[in-house]
Amino acid sequence: MSEKQTFDLSFFMPGQTVEAEEVKVPISKRFVDKKGNVIPFVFKAITTERIDELEKENTTFKNVKGRGRVKDLDSQRFYARIAIESTVYPDFRSKELREAYSTQDPVEVAKRVLSVGGEYANWLNKAIEINGFEDEIEDLEDAAKN
């Protein structure tokens, strides 16, 4: 019989994990301060629980002949909502921005602010990356080895 290997679980106990840090990233060269410096967006990862809630909020069910009730995730809206919630600055949910762009929908505010070419896509991709969806398993394995 082999001895049971024990692992230290203290690393995973409440209060032991490192909180997600805010990350500053330039999304567009169009947003500059008075000195001409590019204004970075500020991102912070959201919780797994919040991501689950956003998934539920952006999922509908429809009846499909021969398959019954099928889940339908509006993935574009889902990822946009993750980006909205992960963006600390600018806060697309702010009353000031929503009023300025005449919409109550923060996703529409983001689309109007990030109106040039790849800006919106850059913003979405960065938010998704900040939340760990882009971490390659090999990168995580390398980090675990070091």
Side-chain angles (χ1 to χ4, degrees):
M1 284 197 204
S2 63
E3 271 188 53
K4 184 178 177 184
Q5 187 175 3
T6 58
F7 293 97
D8 183 355
L9 297 178
S10 67
F11 304 112
F12 305 99
M13 296 298 175
Q16 295 303 309
T17 56
V18 177
E19 187 176 330
E21 293 182 17
E22 289 186 353
V23 178
K24 293 180 181 181
V25 181
I27 295 298
S28 171
K29 295 176 185 173
R30 292 188 312 123
F31 306 110
V32 293
D33 62 19
K34 291 177 179 155
K35 295 179 182 175
N37 300 315
V38 173
I39 299 170
F41 282 32
V42 180
F43 294 90
K44 186 173 184 180
I46 58 177
T47 65
T48 301
E49 290 83 8
R50 185 62 187 135
I51 289 172
D52 287 347
E53 289 169 9
L54 291 171
E55 183 178 8
K56 284 178 189 158
E57 289 171 18
N58 293 285
T59 299
T60 55
F61 292 89
K62 59 185 177 185
N63 292 318
V64 176
K65 196 172 186 174
R67 291 180 49 205
R69 200 161 181 244
V70 176
K71 226 170 116 168
D72 184 31
L73 174 66
D74 182 346
S75 57
Q76 284 187 327
R77 181 86 184 163
F78 171 58
Y79 288 120
R81 291 293 302 150
I82 289 174
I84 291 292
E85 302 231 359
S86 302
T87 306
V88 176
Y89 179 79
D91 183 0
F92 293 118
R93 296 174 291 188
S94 75
K95 182 179 178 184
E96 190 177 0
L97 281 177
R98 285 183 290 124
E99 285 179 356
Y101 287 95
S102 304
T103 180
Q104 289 304 305
D105 183 359
V107 173
E108 285 304 312
V109 172
K111 285 180 178 179
R112 292 175 189 172
V113 170
L114 299 166
S115 62
V116 171
E119 291 174 345
Y120 186 79
N122 289 344
W123 169 70
L124 282 176
N125 289 336
K126 185 47 69 175
I128 290 165
E129 180 186 322
I130 297 283
N131 281 285
F133 288 105
E134 299 266 319
D135 286 347
E136 294 293 330
I137 197 71
E138 293 84 16
D139 294 343
L140 294 173
E141 289 171 353
D142 288 344
K145 290 177 189 173
N146 295 332

